[in-house]
Amino acid sequence: MPHCIIEYSKGLEAAISPDELSSTVFQGALASGLFTPADIKTRVIPYTSYQVGETTAGFIHVTARILAGRNETQKANLSHQILERLQQIDQPNTSYTVEVVDIDVASYAKSVS
């Protein structure tokens, strides 16, 4: 855990590849000190159709889904660590956002083969 779902405007691929974006978020989650490298999962979803306010500015939004039980300070640190690394991409007219969402432990199921 966590599952980091990275949504972004496809036009940003001129500045950063999906693999680099995934690695950037991975490093942020790792820097939080909450997870081992083996626990962090990232995936990227590009969007070609979107709107940010009244513009078509670029965006990167990360949803970090974690098992419930972390305190507010830990969650804030996680989002800050990811956001800090995203901001290093430094693309003009780009919105960077991070959201930490608790996964309900009672309904979460996992299988590894």
Side-chain angles (χ1 to χ4, degrees), residues 5-75:
I5 301 125
I6 307 157
E7 300 171 281
Y8 69 100
S9 50
K10 188 164 177 63
L12 291 176
E13 290 178 0
I16 187 167
S17 73
D19 288 340
E20 291 170 315
L21 188 53
S22 180
S23 179
T24 296
V25 171
F26 178 92
Q27 292 302 321
L30 187 60
S32 74
L34 298 173
F35 315 102
T36 67
D39 292 331
I40 302 168
K41 298 149 190 78
T42 63
R43 49 192 171 271
V44 295
I45 305 169
Y47 288 87
T48 56
S49 181
Y50 58 90
Q51 185 169 337
V52 179
E54 294 181 337
T55 73
T56 54
F59 75 93
I60 300 173
H61 176 73
V62 177
T63 303
R65 299 185 53 79
I66 63 173
L67 287 175
R70 307 287 182 177
N71 65 44
E72 296 303 313
T73 301
Q74 291 171 314
K75 291 187 235 182

Side-chain angles (χ1 to χ4, degrees), residues 1 3 41 67 103-110:
M1 204 54 54
H3 291 275
K41 298 149 190 78
L67 287 175
I103 296 173
D104 178 36
V105 176
S107 66
Y108 182 72
K110 178 179 178 178

Side-chain angles (χ1 to χ4, degrees), residues 56-106:
T56 54
F59 75 93
I60 300 173
H61 176 73
V62 177
T63 303
R65 299 185 53 79
I66 63 173
L67 287 175
R70 307 287 182 177
N71 65 44
E72 296 303 313
T73 301
Q74 291 171 314
K75 291 187 235 182
N77 179 53
L78 173 59
S79 63
H80 174 76
Q81 293 295 330
I82 293 171
L83 184 61
E84 186 176 273
R85 279 148 187 85
L86 289 174
Q87 290 171 319
Q88 293 174 7
I89 297 168
D90 194 29
Q91 284 299 294
N93 300 315
T94 300
S95 169
Y96 304 95
T97 55
V98 180
E99 172 186 28
V100 177
V101 177
D102 285 337
I103 296 173
D104 178 36
V105 176

